[in-house]
Amino acid sequence: PLPEGPLRRRLEHLAERVGFRFRDILVWDTERGVVNACVTGVLPGFRYVLLTDALIESLEPKEISAVFGHEIGHVAHRHLPFFAFFFLGSLGLLTLAASGASDLEQWIVGFPAFTGWIDTTWSGLVETGLALASVGLFFWLAFGHLSRRFERQADVFGCTVVSCGHSECPPHDDPDDELGPLVPIIRGVSSPCPAGIRIFATALSRVARQNGMEFRARSWRHGSIANRIAFLESLRD
């Protein structure tokens, strides 16, 4: 468990402020090798937020709050249940498409090059190859697109939870700073402010740098760091 102290009180206040319920905040021991965070569990009683030891040591408290907010965003926007429905729906669609794949397989093995092989192992290999290629293409396109959109949505949420609610900031009021006046507990969040966007973008940059990630390298599930930051900075307009 994350030890009692200013960081834990900050994150607990943030969670209460946005109505996020969880079982505990845990320190993920990676021997200071990974800068990352994640959330597990759909139901609050089984939900944990994990922060790696390297993330806690590498980022400032307000940046950790932004990363924490990103993980809350996955829950607030119900990404985990959506992924479950996506997989179930995809299974149903692929099942319905199985007959079409079978017809395509019959058409392919009807070519002269396949004459005499229809009743051999080659026919089964062709059918299996078509099925695997179809499933792989579907998930590469559909799941990758969905995952990148979810990540962008969580990024915006991460900006918003550390925002002061004023579009003309700075000056910026830290809503979870123990040394300043705490923002009253209200359910929900408003919109990101310029400082909130900068805090999360800085945290994202530092996470990438500490993990040795190339800023413009494409990521199937998350998108490139450069594109994610560029999108967030565009929100200031």
Side-chain angles (χ1 to χ4, degrees):
L2 181 67
E4 185 62 39
L7 178 60
R8 186 178 183 98
R9 289 193 295 272
R10 163 185 281 272
L11 298 181
E12 288 177 341
H13 183 269
L14 188 159
E16 187 177 3
R17 188 163 52 83
V18 301
F20 175 67
R21 295 182 297 158
F22 59 96
R23 184 68 176 268
D24 203 356
I25 304 173
L26 304 179
V27 179
W28 181 1
D29 183 9
T30 66
E31 297 183 352
R32 298 174 175 81
V34 178
V35 182
N36 207 348
C38 70
V39 60
T40 66
V42 177
L43 300 177
F46 301 94
R47 182 181 298 145
Y48 295 87
V49 180
L50 280 66
L51 308 175
T52 65
D53 45 5
L55 181 137
I56 294 173
E57 294 181 4
S58 303
L59 271 62
E60 297 180 8
K62 59 185 179 181
E63 295 169 351
I64 297 175
S65 293
V67 174
F68 187 76
H70 172 95
E71 300 306 326
I72 294 177
H74 285 302
V75 175
H77 291 297
R78 301 176 177 84
H79 291 168
L80 296 180
F82 271 123
F83 274 136
F85 283 121
F86 171 80
F87 283 116
L88 290 175
S90 299
L91 182 61
L93 287 174
L94 293 172
T95 301
L96 292 174
S99 60
S102 179
D103 293 340
L104 180 61
E105 179 260 338
Q106 291 297 327
W107 177 71
I108 290 178
V109 298
F111 281 97
F114 287 96
T115 302
W117 292 358
I118 295 178
D119 296 326
T120 67
T121 304
W122 286 105
S123 178
L125 289 175
V126 171
E127 185 175 0
T128 301
L130 285 172
L132 291 176
S134 300
V135 171
L137 180 63
F138 175 80
F139 275 92
W140 183 72
L141 293 174
F143 180 77
H145 175 76
L146 184 67
S147 180
R148 290 191 297 273
R149 299 294 290 184
F150 281 175
E151 203 67 20
R152 179 171 290 189
Q153 197 174 32
D155 285 349
V156 175
F157 201 94
C159 295
T160 304
V161 297
V162 293
S163 293
C164 61
H166 302 292
S167 60
E168 300 301 325
C169 83
H172 175 73
D173 296 326
D174 188 340
D176 302 300
D177 185 4
E178 285 186 312
L179 300 180
L182 291 177
V183 172
I185 301 298
I186 55 174
R187 297 301 177 214
V189 291
S190 52
S191 59
C193 70
I197 293 172
R198 186 172 62 252
I199 291 170
F200 183 83
T202 301
L204 195 59
S205 297
R206 297 181 72 175
V207 167
R209 192 176 298 109
Q210 292 289 336
N211 285 323
M213 299 169 59
E214 173 59 44
F215 272 62
R216 298 192 178 277
R218 295 183 178 181
S219 171
W220 172 57
R221 284 201 55 207
H222 297 87
S224 72
I225 298 297
N227 284 341
R228 289 169 65 182
I229 292 177
F231 170 75
L232 294 175
E233 291 179 343
S234 72
L235 298 180
R236 288 183 298 194
D237 299 329

